[in-house]
Amino acid sequence: MSDEMILVTGATGKTGRRVARLLRERGVPVRAASRSATPSFDWTDRGTWEPALRGVTGMYVVHLDLGGPQAADDAAAFARQAAAAHTLRGLWPCPGACHAPGR
C-alpha cells in the first residue's frame, strides 16, 4: 500500500473530476477537495485548507477565480501552507495568461 495521497482541488469540476478519476484508475489515493467534500475545501475560507492538506504528498490545484483580485494572494498563501505541510509536489494548471506572483 502506498503512503502517497494526492489532493485534487476543484474535484467536482470539469478538470478536477477527470484528474481524480484517472489517478484512482491508476491506484493512486486521492483526496477530492471541494466545498461539498469531507473535509471541505473552499478558496475563500483559509480554515479549510489545513484539513485538506493533512497527509497529502502531492496536489493538483484548480483555482476557480484566477482573474479575481484575491487569486494571486490565495494561491501564494496556499502554496506556503502546502510547503509547511510537507506536500512534496504540485501541479497548478493555468490557462491563458496566468503568471505566478513575482514573475
Side-chain angles (χ1 to χ4, degrees), residues 15 38 54 68 95 102:
T15 305
T38 302
R54 194 174 299 134

Side-chain angles (χ1 to χ4, degrees), residues 48-61:
T48 66
W49 298 1
E50 191 278 326
L53 285 166
R54 194 174 299 134
V56 168
T57 58
M59 58 188 179
Y60 179 87
V61 179

Side-chain angles (χ1 to χ4, degrees), residues 32-56:
S34 71
R35 289 183 300 263
S36 61
T38 302
S40 67
F41 178 85
D42 187 338
W43 280 108
T44 64
D45 181 358
R46 292 183 182 198
T48 66
W49 298 1
E50 191 278 326
L53 285 166
R54 194 174 299 134
V56 168

Side-chain angles (χ1 to χ4, degrees), residues 6 17-18 20 58 64-65 70 95 99:
I6 305 299
R17 177 187 325 261
R18 291 179 180 135
L64 299 178
D65 190 18
Q70 190 62 35
H99 301 284

Side-chain angles (χ1 to χ4, degrees), residues 8-24 30 32 60 62:
V8 178
T9 68
T12 58
K14 280 194 250 181
T15 305
R17 177 187 325 261
R18 291 179 180 135
V19 169
R21 178 181 49 81
L22 290 170
L23 287 168
R24 286 182 178 127
V30 171
Y60 179 87
V62 176

